[in-house]
Every structure is written in structure tokens, then in C-alpha cells.
Amino acid sequence: MRDKKAGKKFVRMVVGGLLGVLLIAGIWCLAVNMEGGDPAVTFSGFSDFIGSSSGFSVTVSDDQSGVKSIWIGLLADGKEYTLADKTFPPSENGSSEQLPVEIDPKALGIKDGTAMLRVVAVDHSWRGWMKGNRTYVEKPLTIDTRRPDVQVLSRQHYINQGGSGLVIYRVGEPDTRSGVQVGDDFYPGYAGSFSDPSIYMAFFAVRHDQGKGTKIHVTATDRAGNAGVAGFYFLIKSKQFINDRLNIPDSFLNMKMPEFQMPGHYETTVDKFIAVNSDLRRENVETIRRACKETESVLHWKGSFLRLPNSARKAGFADHRDYYYKGRKIDEATHMGIDLASLANSDIPAANTGRVVFGDRIGIFGRTVIIDHGFGLFTMYSHLNQIDVSPGQMVNRGDIIGRTGISGLAGGDHLHFGMIVGHTFVNPVEWWDASWINNNITAKIEAISASIASR
């Protein structure tokens, strides 16, 4: 009898234990599947201005029960358009799903105006009677499929190969990114020089290696990505540049190579020279371009640009140099400035009024000063022995900014003088010429100013 009672008690304990385990498992299952975290919604490549065709992506993440469904729609003209609608299977460890979205207003029959993007994301949670946690996102949009109107106002654009040019134009839509496209190079335009804020100026360059077949036009792109384009009459004058042979003696290598701290090991000073003249040169040019990335929308300069007084030209712009060591060609490069030599340690005047944006060492160029003259026009002074100005400082035409020297890859005391338009080195000779400046720059600005004043 006792055994029978003990058996029943044991069964009750086992059943109770099983029920307890099932209860705990049920509570754990409910806790896991009834999680209350909402799905996270993020956007990539999204713009609140939609042009003739705009694409972006929507990513929904849920690290608990996983993403169950994503719906994306557009409310415009009083109608709702479904852009994407997708469901996903359950996931034990959560999930993240990305959907590409393409909005083509013309294909959808949507007119320009305001619209609303809607995203609904649901997870696999059992909450809400198995409906899951829901995230609802709205983003206001502007539909704009019209191209900006662009009108070129300046005339007679004659540009030398390796030289500079100026285009003045009007953009009929505010908040555009506009400028001059020269082949694959873009030169931004800036407002602020005229009383009419819709009128822009853009200095541009034709590289030394761009010939007569180079395509040039003005372009303006609005916030919706619509691009307006305007062509204009121009003539590129071809120019032949000098090919030069430079012999590199051991005395130069032994004097200069210790100055350069290059990564890696070089068996000879010749090997190190090749690395300095090629790899380091490329890095240094990028440093210069970064220094010239930002410019002031103010025309600081006036009149012709000064050259180093009482100096002789030792090397020209875009000279192609072949470097030889003991009769063997070891490297080549293009000289993107003009070398001017005077007395050693000569005072260097600022070529024109502007703001100093750089004053430090730059590898092969040595101690260097860069001055912003406004609207993307810069002058560069290299191989200095001494720098007498600081970044941010305004200097006037003729102010002494430093002294000539042999810093960097210079074999003798001289000034390497460069001029830069946007990100391109141009021939400084043009900017020393008052007649060229008047015909190609000043006269255009004055003509547009007079036209505005006469309205």
C-alpha cells in the first residue's frame, strides 16, 4: 500500500516537474517571441529632391525576431503608389534586409510638386496578436523634373593650350552646382561678383595635354539631379612645349636624397631619386590640390601678376623632362611651373592680393606658400629658404612672403612659381601680361557689369 502511494506521489512529482518545465519553456518562448523592439529603418543615397529618375535604398534591421515585411510607397497628386512590397521568412537570430528603390515620376505619371515617401516595416514578433512590431516612417519630398536654364553671357573665349579662361553665365534656378566642364575636368562657378545673384563666374583651364578637340560647355545641376547644359563659342590655340634632357650627377643625389624620408629600402640613391621624383611627386601634387580645394568668392586681385624682380627664366611651363644618369634614362616628368632665378636668398613678392592658404614644406617642392586670389585662382611659390607669412593672412600685391632657396628637389637657389585654376596648373606667363588679362578677364567682367547697370 505504501509502495502504491509512493508510486502515485512520484508520478505527481514527475508530472509537476514536466508541467513546470513546460511552463518555464512557455514563458521563455513568449518572452522571446513577444519581444517589443521595433525594426530599425535607414536610408542610403536618399535625397529629398527627386528628379527625372532617382534611386536610393532602404535597409530594415531587426536583431531579435527578424524582418517580416517591408512596404514602400509614395503619396503624390492625392494618390498612393506602391514602390516596393516584400515579405521575408522567419529568422532565428534576427535579420537585415535592403531594398533598392527607383522613383521615375514620368513613368508613374506624377507631376512636379510635393510628395510623401512612406515606409512600413514589420518584424516576426508575436506582439499585437501576431501582427508584430511595426515601424512607420514618412519623408517629405519635392518632385522636380525640370532642367535648370543656363545662359552664357560672356563672349569671345580664346584659350591657349595649357592656359586659362573665364566664362560668365546665368543660371535660372537657385541652389545649383554649376561650372565649366572641360573634357573630364570640372571647374565650379561662383556667384557674388555681380549685383544679380543668378550670374556666376567660372575660371577654367585647358590642360597642357588637352588639344583642339577638347569639349567645353557650361553645366548646372540642381538638387534633384537635373542637369542643364549650355555651349558657347571657344577656340583652343595649340602650343608646343619644350622637351628637355636633365643629367643627374652623383653630387646632386648625394646632396639631396638624405633630405627625403621615404618608406622602404633603396639599394642606390638613383632608386631613391626615382621614387621621390615619381611617387612622392604625385603625393605632393595631391597635397597642393587639397590646399586649393576651398576658395573665396571674392576677386581679391587686380591688374597683372608680379614676377620675381630681376630674375631670369631657367625652366618653362609644361617642359617635359627626361632624367638621365650616366647616359641612361631613369625617369621623366612634366614641369608645371616656371623657374625664376635671381640673387640667392632674394625677397619674393606676392604676385597679387589674396589670402594665404598654405605655408609649409611639400616634399619635392620644399618650403611652399600658396595664395588664394578668389574664385579658384591660386599662386604657388616653392623651394623657399624662408616663409614669412601664415595661413589665413591677407597679403597685398608686392608684400614680401618669403625668400628664395634650395629646399625640396632644387639643385640651385631659385623660385618655382606656379599658377593654379581650380585643380589644374596653368601657364603663369598669361597672368604676367596686362594686355592678356584685360582682353580675356577684365573686359568680360566690365561688360557684364555695364549690362546689368543699364537695365
Side-chain angles (χ1 to χ4, degrees):
M1 192 69 156
R2 288 181 181 177
D3 291 342
K4 200 171 185 179
K5 288 182 179 180
K8 289 182 179 179
K9 185 176 180 182
F10 176 75
V11 169
R12 285 196 299 271
M13 289 177 62
V14 170
V15 171
L18 289 174
L19 290 174
V21 170
L22 290 173
L23 179 62
I24 293 172
I27 293 173
W28 178 85
C29 183
L30 285 173
V32 170
N33 290 283
M34 291 286 286
E35 56 89 10
D38 294 332
V41 178
T42 58
F43 296 81
S44 178
F46 176 82
S47 170
D48 52 5
F49 280 81
I50 303 298
S52 56
S53 180
S54 299
F56 56 93
S57 63
V58 176
T59 300
V60 177
S61 302
D62 190 286
D63 58 5
Q64 297 186 65
S65 59
V67 180
K68 181 179 181 181
S69 66
I70 305 173
W71 178 87
I72 303 171
L74 184 70
L75 178 63
D77 301 335
K79 300 178 182 179
E80 191 168 67
Y81 303 85
T82 297
L83 303 176
D85 188 3
K86 192 169 183 180
T87 58
F88 306 92
S91 174
E92 293 182 0
N93 301 312
S95 62
S96 179
E97 306 293 344
Q98 184 180 74
L99 291 183
V101 181
E102 188 75 24
I103 300 178
D104 187 338
K106 185 176 180 180
L108 295 171
I110 300 174
K111 298 177 182 178
D112 286 5
T114 59
M116 184 69 71
L117 181 74
R118 291 173 172 172
V119 178
V120 180
V122 182
D123 66 12
H124 283 281
S125 172
W126 290 358
R127 289 219 172 197
W129 300 101
M130 306 294 287
K131 291 181 180 179
N133 300 301
R134 175 174 301 216
T135 298
Y136 183 79
V137 177
E138 284 191 343
K139 283 185 172 291
L141 301 174
T142 298
I143 306 295
D144 177 11
T145 61
R146 292 168 296 182
R147 295 180 178 181
D149 181 51
V150 184
Q151 179 187 7
V152 176
L153 304 177
S154 54
R155 300 177 180 179
Q156 297 180 343
H157 306 89
Y158 300 104
I159 313 106
N160 294 309
Q161 190 174 344
S164 310
L166 171 67
V167 172
I168 303 174
Y169 58 94
R170 175 184 284 111
V171 180
E173 182 178 334
D175 300 320
T176 62
R177 179 178 181 266
S178 67
V180 181
Q181 190 74 40
V182 183
D184 295 330
D185 298 319
F186 179 76
Y187 300 90
Y190 305 91
S193 189
F194 302 97
S195 58
D196 185 342
S198 69
I199 297 180
Y200 290 70
M201 289 202 318
F203 287 102
F204 67 97
V206 173
R207 297 195 316 263
H208 72 285
D209 57 355
Q210 289 177 316
K212 284 188 173 182
T214 304
K215 296 180 179 179
I216 306 177
H217 59 264
V218 175
T219 180
T221 304
D222 64 18
R223 289 177 290 179
N226 304 301
V229 177
F232 58 91
Y233 175 79
F234 66 90
L235 176 65
I236 299 175
K237 300 178 184 178
S238 298
K239 184 174 177 58
Q240 295 295 320
F241 299 100
I242 294 174
N243 289 317
D244 201 4
R245 172 174 174 151
L246 296 182
N247 295 309
I248 307 298
D250 286 319
S251 57
F252 174 82
L253 296 173
N254 293 332
M255 176 180 69
K256 280 294 171 182
M257 289 306 99
E259 181 178 332
F260 298 96
Q261 302 299 315
M262 298 288 289
H265 173 71
Y266 301 95
E267 295 292 335
T268 66
T269 54
V270 173
D271 293 334
K272 187 173 184 180
F273 170 81
I274 294 171
V276 168
N277 196 50
S278 55
D279 299 340
L280 184 58
R281 181 186 294 273
R282 283 192 293 270
E283 293 177 15
N284 296 160
V285 169
E286 288 306 311
T287 298
I288 294 166
R289 286 174 173 163
R290 285 194 297 270
C292 299
K293 192 172 182 179
E294 301 295 331
T295 186
E296 296 185 19
S297 298
V298 179
L299 211 61
H300 291 304
W301 63 274
K302 185 177 181 180
S304 61
F305 283 62
L306 296 176
R307 60 175 285 169
L308 183 68
N310 304 313
S311 61
R313 187 186 304 186
K314 295 300 182 181
F317 173 78
D319 288 356
H320 182 82
R321 293 174 167 178
D322 291 323
Y323 297 89
Y324 283 78
Y325 176 75
K326 294 184 178 180
R328 176 174 63 93
K329 182 179 175 180
I330 58 173
D331 204 2
E332 60 184 280
T334 302
H335 185 248
M336 303 307 293
I338 293 180
D339 287 348
L340 300 169
S342 182
L343 296 175
N345 209 35
S346 293
D347 287 342
I348 302 172
N352 221 313
T353 301
R355 188 181 301 279
V356 177
V357 295
F358 187 91
D360 205 345
R361 284 183 175 268
I362 308 180
I364 67 167
F365 297 97
R367 294 183 184 87
T368 296
V369 172
I370 300 176
I371 299 175
D372 175 19
H373 302 284
F375 288 87
L377 180 64
F378 299 84
T379 51
M380 185 177 83
Y381 314 76
S382 296
H383 301 315
L384 275 58
N385 177 51
Q386 177 180 316
I387 294 176
D388 294 331
V389 290
S390 303
Q393 180 179 340
M394 281 295 298
V395 293
N396 293 316
R397 184 177 186 268
D399 286 353
I400 303 303
I401 62 172
R403 295 177 180 273
T404 62
I406 59 170
S407 61
L409 202 60
D413 188 292
H414 72 277
L415 169 67
H416 174 92
F417 179 73
M419 292 205 66
I420 303 164
V421 172
H423 53 273
T424 302
F425 291 95
V426 297
N427 195 341
V429 171
E430 295 178 336
W431 296 92
W432 290 335
D433 185 345
S435 178
W436 180 90
I437 290 176
N438 180 66
N439 294 334
N440 294 276
I441 309 297
T442 310
K444 291 180 181 180
I445 297 172
E446 291 176 349
I448 300 304
S449 297
S451 176
I452 294 173
S454 65
R455 292 177 188 172

